[in-house]
Amino acid sequence: MKMLVCISKTPDTTAKIAFTNNNSTFDTNGVTFIMNPTDEWYALVRAIEIKEQTGTGSVTVINVGPKENESIVIQKALAIGADNAVRIDAVPDDAHFVAAQIAAHAETENYDIIFTGKETIDYNGSAIGGMVAELLNLPYISLANSLQLINATTASATREIEGGIEEVEVAVPFVISAQKGMAEQRIPNMRGIMAARTKPVKVLPPKDFSPYTSIVSYELPPARTQVKLIDPEHPEELIRLLHEQAKVI
Amino acid sequence: MSVLIYVNHQNGKIKKSTFETALYARKVAEMLQTDEVIALSLGQVSDEALTLLGNYGVTKVLSDNQALFDHFDAGVHTKALASAVEQTGATAIIISQNSNGKAIAPRLSMRLKAGLVSGAIELPIVNGNTFTVKKSVFSGKAFANYSILTPIKIIALNPNSYPVVKGQGLAAVEQFNSGITASDVKIKVKEIKSLSDSVPLPEAELVVSAGRGMKGPENWGMIEELAQALGAATACSRPVADVHWRPHHEHVGQTGITIRPNLYIAIGISGAIQHLAGVNNSKVIVVINKDPEAPFFKAADYGIVGDAFEIIPKLTQAVKAFKAQNN
């Protein structure tokens, strides 16, 4: 299987979120960036597992972003076990732009499976997989929590649906977005870190594409009022407040 | 000019998310100074049920009830939606950001070359041909206002973001030929496992959730009893799902399901930032924990410091008494 894994750079989960330029720009000062967790823990690791199980094929990671992303996310992906990497040298304007860049690379490479994480933890769009699938005219399995190869041309997966789990079968090539259950997180070891330094990273110029959306401004949510504590001996008071004050029951 | 919505249904029953998107679309239509809110229904739903979408502001329903649509294939549903957009001239499309919506909306966006804001939480601000749409970003730690720059706009609305109030009116139902054939279907659904009879977590308005503070799976009976008394769905924190005390589909948080119910009751959950990322858009948060220093209290509206094993049975009794008095 020739596999492509889309990886994104996101602020660390614990990062303090602040904005500058009259709330039009995310303030990256002091923010630690990481590989997006669902891309890393589930999509990338499952692709590597499939390669290990079949004993053939390759895992390429792709990132749309500036050179600094090579040290922040690409090297880690290679250390975990990807074979090579592609970086599209561009600022990732919006999801449409990013998907167009990935699809432009993928359409010449004939990947069997293209993986994404279920969403990034910064813009929470859940959009790249579907967009890439449409641009390449491929089937798309979203929110998948397992993926197994049946044979060289067919795979089965389970995906989350409202109130249930669906088991599906699909022929390669296809696009899949991975979530919890797909694989277990892997920590890169020293051997992997050393090997990553010799693995190839191809840098490509971006395809010309005008974004479909732009962020006008950011806002922080209003601070919650201080918690109102209720006497544990009288939980019925909570029910009264939820009914009369909060009006949620 | 019209506004188009996608009908979510299961076993022929129209889901609440459809009513929510219909009412949202009705408001968008008013902003665009059009009266037409069109719904596209794919798969087998009775005309009678579709007509009742008029109660939620829909004027016309296009129905293609081929059995081909009964099993979900995002590519097939996208193609049918695009066909409906072409035939109706819709300039705004509203889709629920649920599990199917997350697969369809981005595909449709690229197919129509239309800007998408996924996970919208409010009505757009419409200024001429410009839409500005608010969505939650950074796992609920901020909001971003997006401008959609294309002539056709797609909004994927987060579940539980817009109030559902049933009104009056009947929608006209028209048979629709989406042009889909068996050769379009690329994904074969082998089996669907229904997880429970209760409301799916992303749609639930009330959620009772518990964590390691419950000490073991054998103690979940009292959580379920409280949830049942309230008419709530049950959920859990990640560690609980990881050790298989509860199934993974109940795990809410950054790596699990993101929810925004009206009421989220967290019992024996300390409130790690990864958990908060999945629930911090809940309208009201109640925390029950014996540790007064649990970080979750800082995000809570109401709290009870104490032993959950003593508090929950009393709380359940209080809910039952309240329900008996108010029903």
Side-chain angles (χ1 to χ4, degrees):
Chain A
M1 287 284 147
K2 186 176 176 183
M3 293 171 281
L4 180 70
V5 182
C6 308
I7 58 172
S8 181
K9 181 184 77 175
T10 60
D12 182 68
T13 306
T14 56
K16 186 174 185 298
I17 303 302
F19 306 104
T20 57
N21 294 336
N22 203 20
N23 286 332
S24 65
T25 310
F26 173 52
D27 185 358
T28 56
N29 276 324
V31 172
T32 302
F33 285 92
I34 58 170
M35 194 185 333
N36 183 54
T38 54
D39 303 346
E40 178 191 332
W41 302 351
Y42 310 129
L44 175 60
V45 174
R46 188 64 193 131
I48 293 167
E49 284 175 353
I50 287 173
K51 185 192 152 192
E52 289 169 349
Q53 285 161 7
T54 57
T56 59
S58 62
V59 176
T60 301
V61 291
I62 186 167
N63 174 257
V64 179
K67 182 160 177 54
E68 67 191 44
N69 287 14
E70 289 183 22
S71 58
I72 297 171
V73 294
I74 291 176
Q75 285 302 317
K76 186 174 185 188
L78 295 173
I80 290 171
D83 298 295
N84 53 66
V86 173
R87 179 173 66 82
I88 309 294
D89 191 19
V91 174
D93 271 337
D94 72 347
H96 307 84
F97 176 88
V98 172
Q101 305 307 324
I102 294 167
H105 162 74
E107 70 185 356
T108 61
E109 292 291 328
N110 298 318
Y111 291 106
D112 295 304
I113 308 175
I114 299 175
F115 290 83
T116 70
K118 78 161 183 171
E119 67 176 353
T120 59
I121 61 168
D122 49 8
Y123 292 99
N124 304 107
S126 268
I128 298 294
M131 288 178 176
V132 170
E134 186 62 30
L135 289 171
L136 298 173
N137 193 25
L138 294 178
Y140 177 46
I141 303 165
S142 58
L143 307 174
N145 38 32
S146 76
L147 172 67
Q148 306 292 337
L149 293 183
I150 296 171
N151 54 43
T153 58
T154 315
S156 76
T158 54
R159 67 177 283 262
E160 174 193 311
I161 56 171
E162 304 308 296
I165 297 285
E166 197 172 71
E167 187 188 336
V168 301
E169 206 172 283
V170 65
V172 297
F174 61 88
V175 181
I176 187 164
S177 80
Q179 65 168 336
K180 190 171 179 179
M182 179 70 83
E184 293 291 332
Q185 181 182 8
R186 280 190 187 186
I187 309 294
N189 57 29
M190 187 50 73
R191 193 175 160 200
I193 292 167
M194 297 305 286
R197 294 178 184 171
T198 62
K199 291 178 178 176
V201 179
K202 190 191 278 184
V203 181
L204 298 174
K207 175 194 169 181
D208 190 23
F209 185 93
S210 297
Y212 292 173
T213 61
S214 71
I215 295 175
V216 181
S217 62
Y218 292 96
E219 297 168 33
L220 289 172
R224 282 193 186 263
T225 51
Q226 202 177 6
V227 60
K228 182 173 178 54
L229 289 176
I230 287 140
D231 181 352
E233 294 301 318
H234 296 286
E236 66 277 6
E237 174 64 2
L238 174 65
I239 302 305
R240 187 187 70 77
L241 289 168
L242 291 175
H243 178 62
E244 293 177 7
Q245 193 177 69
K247 299 186 191 306
V248 288
I249 62 171
Chain B
M1 189 190 290
S2 61
V3 181
L4 185 75
I5 69 160
Y6 168 80
V7 176
N8 279 285
H9 59 87
Q10 197 167 20
N11 302 324
K13 194 177 168 199
I14 296 173
K15 304 194 82 172
K16 181 192 150 201
S17 57
T18 305
F19 306 142
E20 192 177 1
T21 50
L23 289 160
Y24 183 97
R26 163 59 46 202
K27 279 286 176 194
V28 173
E30 284 171 16
M31 292 177 195
L32 293 173
Q33 297 180 324
T34 174
D35 188 45
E36 245 189 341
V37 175
I38 301 170
L40 176 66
S41 174
L42 302 171
Q44 297 178 51
V45 188
S46 71
D47 282 1
E48 188 189 359
L50 293 173
T51 300
L52 293 175
L53 281 173
N55 292 175
Y56 303 93
V58 172
T59 46
K60 184 165 77 178
V61 184
L62 304 176
S63 170
D64 186 340
N65 57 9
Q66 290 187 76
L68 282 176
F69 293 115
D70 287 348
H71 284 159
F72 182 75
D73 179 328
V76 168
H77 284 235
T78 300
K79 194 174 172 187
L81 256 167
S83 172
V85 172
E86 201 175 290
Q87 291 184 40
T88 59
T91 52
I93 300 116
I94 316 297
I95 296 171
S96 181
Q97 177 79 341
N98 56 20
S99 52
N100 286 359
K102 285 176 183 173
I104 299 170
R107 286 201 80 127
L108 187 68
S109 168
M110 280 308 196
R111 195 174 185 95
L112 299 176
K113 296 184 169 51
L116 159 70
V117 176
S118 55
I121 55 169
E122 284 181 8
L123 284 166
I125 295 167
V126 176
N127 188 357
N129 197 29
T130 307
F131 274 30
T132 305
V133 188
K134 183 186 276 196
K135 70 168 283 185
S136 178
V137 290
F138 297 106
S139 299
K141 289 192 274 188
F143 303 113
N145 295 298
Y146 278 75
S147 179
I148 303 180
L149 309 170
T150 51
I152 298 177
K153 280 96 169 142
I154 304 176
I155 297 174
L157 179 68
N158 259 354
N160 286 341
S161 295
Y162 197 75
V164 174
V165 181
K166 191 177 176 182
Q168 290 183 324
L170 297 173
V173 179
E174 288 180 13
Q175 296 312 302
F176 175 70
N177 181 359
S178 60
I180 298 294
T181 63
S183 64
D184 291 310
V185 179
K186 307 291 184 202
I187 291 177
K188 197 169 165 184
V189 177
K190 306 286 286 180
E191 190 182 2
I192 296 175
K193 289 179 193 155
S194 186
L195 295 174
S196 72
D197 295 331
S198 60
V199 180
L201 260 179
E203 288 184 14
E205 292 181 1
L206 310 175
V207 174
V208 176
S209 185
R212 273 184 300 192
M214 291 307 294
K215 294 183 179 167
E218 67 278 8
N219 295 321
W220 242 262
M222 63 174 71
I223 299 294
E224 284 165 343
E225 198 181 346
L226 173 60
Q228 195 173 22
L230 275 166
T234 54
C236 70
S237 63
R238 178 180 174 175
V240 163
D242 282 350
V243 295
H244 307 296
W245 290 0
R246 299 298 292 176
H248 280 297
H249 67 262
E250 285 196 2
H251 162 202
V252 290
Q254 190 167 69
T255 51
I257 296 170
T258 302
I259 56 173
R260 41 184 307 120
N262 287 336
L263 173 63
Y264 182 72
I265 301 180
I267 301 166
I269 300 175
S270 62
I273 197 158
Q274 291 85 354
H275 185 79
L276 280 173
V279 303
N280 58 8
N281 281 321
S282 306
K283 289 184 184 73
V284 174
I285 295 176
V286 173
V287 170
I288 299 172
N289 202 301
K290 68 179 180 188
D291 176 8
E293 301 299 320
F296 218 156
F297 281 116
K298 288 187 179 143
D301 300 283
Y302 301 99
I304 303 180
V305 178
D307 184 345
F309 294 92
E310 291 175 12
I311 293 166
I312 298 168
K314 287 184 196 167
L315 191 57
T316 304
Q317 286 312 311
V319 172
K320 286 179 178 171
F322 167 81
K323 293 275 181 183
Q325 211 168 27
N326 288 274
N327 283 341

